[in-house]
Amino acid sequence: MGEMEQMKKEAEALKTQIEAARKAAHDTDMASAASGVAPAPRVQLKTRRTLKGHLAKIYAMHWCTDNRLMVSASQDGKLLIWDSHTGNKVNAVPLKSSWVMTCAYAPSGNLVASGGLDNMCTVYNLKTPVIKTVKELDAHTGYLSCARFLSDTEILTSSGDTTCVLWDLETGKQKTVFLNHVGDCMCLSLSPDMNSFVSGACDSLAKLWDIRDGQCKQTFQGHTSDINAISFYPSGNAIITGSDDCTCKMYDIRADQEVISYQDAALNSGVTSLDLSASGRLIFAGYDDFNCNIWDSLKGEKVGVLSGHDNRVSCTGVPGDGMCVCTGSWDSFLKIWN
Amino acid sequence: MSTTNNIAQARKLVEQLRIEAGYERIKVSKAAADLMSYCEQHARSDPLLVGVPTSENPFKDKKPCIIL
């Protein structure tokens, strides 16, 4: 038997083995296990702030760890830093390329990053007397879909070139390249303990990676289209994904499989973004149909909806203290709800 | 030659599948129990779940001052 034939055979055998092991662990699913849990209360949130200032579609937003400042990115070619309590704009960062797809706030609050169709991740220092570009991370061969700072010296990016990269911000060079997806990487989420991260891609798979050794440890299947949004559960033991297949799913890491799907026959718009409430009980998912739906993560039921945008909800974010949820839209506005 | 590429790709796939096949899975019932327990423990400190009292809400609607 040729080597190619042998490897195909071994690959099939391993896939069968993995499926069997997952099935053996599947003694129940999340919704059944949670049947005795009291339903989450009907969640009715009010718009507390509407942040006006961008002149075109908003593509991304990210909270600062101070739970008050946030950064938003729009294809009007700007990053805006907002004080969410007053609703005022604190800073404006003009972008070299207006085709921005992501933005991020460093945990220290000192730096922000952006990137998009320019294939680069640009890092800015907010604390110098005039905002300065400190690094242009230029090695991806596809668009930058997501960026997340680990610290002021390391940042993770995901790209349309199917890779994720860990960068050293002091040298501006790639430290680790995470290779395994076969479709554009669309999103990433850092684990609470910062030792791993998960990525979602257009190959409809979510992958768990070890940040330090660069290896893909687990692959989660189930979605039937691009995964646009991904987030770790606050406990670090599960992940939630949102997809163009109009569903969100929870995958448990230690059980290595999907444990619940959040879907509704009436919902036929793709999921663009998502975030979780502080306990993980509530999932806020933004959709192409201009709404943000609120799901009970344990029981799989829809418990509320945030309606108010006049176009697609493109980004959703809950600050670290869980005090509100922010939605950003192609209608150029950001709304804060609680 | 594309066949060498294909073989390299196939090798990588098998390597990756070996890593994933070796994972020690726990039962979904145990995983679910842990998730439910986490939610329960943290429910009381989840402002969006239990609600934010107006007096503590940094985003409460600013009321206009009326000068009498």
Side-chain angles (χ1 to χ4, degrees), chain A residues 7-56:
Chain A
M7 286 194 290
K8 275 192 186 166
K9 232 186 151 204
E10 188 175 357
E12 286 313 304
L14 287 165
K15 284 182 190 170
T16 306
Q17 189 189 326
I18 291 170
E19 275 325 295
R22 282 183 177 148
K23 213 170 167 210
H26 195 86
D27 56 349
T28 184
D29 61 54
M30 187 73 232
S32 309
S35 55
V37 175
R42 184 97 206 139
V43 182
Q44 283 168 318
L45 306 182
K46 292 196 182 143
T47 304
R48 300 293 177 186
R49 299 276 184 278
T50 297
L51 305 178
K52 305 182 192 195
H54 279 301
L55 304 171

Side-chain angles (χ1 to χ4, degrees), chain A residues 53-99:
Chain A
H54 279 301
L55 304 171
K57 294 175 175 172
I58 290 172
Y59 275 79
M61 61 79 46
H62 195 216
W63 284 96
C64 179
T65 50
D66 71 359
N67 303 314
R68 179 171 179 152
L69 296 177
M70 34 175 267
V71 59
S72 60
S74 162
Q75 292 202 347
D76 63 6
K78 288 209 169 51
L79 292 185
L80 290 178
I81 315 289
W82 306 85
D83 176 333
S84 61
H85 290 186
T86 60
N88 293 335
K89 292 178 260 310
V90 172
N91 265 316
V93 185
L95 302 173
K96 262 193 194 171
S97 163
S98 62
W99 304 112

Side-chain angles (χ1 to χ4, degrees), chain A residues 80-315:
Chain A
L80 290 178
I81 315 289
W82 306 85
D83 176 333
S84 61
H85 290 186
T86 60
N88 293 335
K89 292 178 260 310
V90 172
N91 265 316
V93 185
L95 302 173
K96 262 193 194 171
S97 163
S98 62
W99 304 112
V100 64
M101 293 173 68
T102 187
C103 60
Y105 226 124
S108 65
N110 295 329
L111 310 171
V112 288
S114 68
L117 294 180
D118 58 354
N119 298 359
M120 290 198 310
C121 180
T122 308
V123 179
Y124 310 86
N125 188 334
L126 295 176
K127 303 296 176 144
T128 42
V130 176
I131 296 175
K132 269 171 44 164
T133 299
V134 293
K135 276 285 178 297
E136 282 176 335
L137 307 172
D138 191 0
H140 278 300
T141 54
Y143 58 84
L144 204 83
S145 51
C146 191
R148 284 294 177 257
F149 285 92
L150 277 78
S151 66
D152 279 5
T153 54
E154 285 183 313
I155 192 169
L156 254 179
T157 56
S158 62
S159 168
D161 67 10
T162 77
T163 72
C164 295
V165 172
L166 177 68
W167 304 81
D168 179 328
L169 285 174
E170 286 167 328
T171 61
K173 298 274 184 268
Q174 299 168 299
K175 253 183 165 163
T176 315
V177 180
F178 302 89
L179 281 168
N180 209 265
H181 278 296
V182 297
D184 301 12
C185 287
M186 298 302 292
C187 50
L188 66 91
S189 174
L190 271 167
S191 66
D193 69 9
M194 308 262 277
N195 291 327
S196 50
F197 74 96
V198 284
S199 59
C202 291
D203 55 15
S204 69
L205 302 172
K207 287 180 181 282
L208 175 75
W209 309 83
D210 181 312
I211 289 186
R212 298 306 154 194
D213 72 18
Q215 212 153 62
C216 171
K217 297 297 191 197
Q218 288 171 257
T219 298
F220 303 97
Q221 329 158 262
H223 278 297
T224 53
S225 188
D226 306 355
I227 295 177
N228 298 317
I230 197 164
S231 180
F232 260 95
Y233 211 76
S235 64
N237 285 333
I239 62 170
I240 312 281
T241 52
S243 165
D244 271 349
D245 67 12
C246 313
T247 74
C248 293
K249 288 178 188 294
M250 179 195 286
Y251 295 92
D252 186 278
I253 291 178
R254 296 174 305 160
D256 186 45
Q257 58 190 277
E258 177 183 333
V259 296
I260 190 170
S261 188
Y262 309 97
Q263 56 194 83
D264 188 314
L267 272 176
N268 48 18
S269 303
V271 179
T272 61
S273 53
L274 67 89
D275 209 344
L276 299 166
S277 70
S279 66
R281 186 67 193 265
L282 302 174
I283 300 169
F284 296 90
Y287 290 72
D288 286 343
D289 70 359
F290 309 178
N291 289 328
C292 179
N293 289 312
I294 310 175
W295 298 90
D296 177 336
S297 66
L298 299 179
K299 294 173 95 69
E301 296 159 352
K302 206 171 97 163
V303 295
V305 65
L306 304 177
S307 294
H309 283 293
D310 296 321
N311 207 324
R312 177 185 290 198
V313 173
S314 55
C315 49

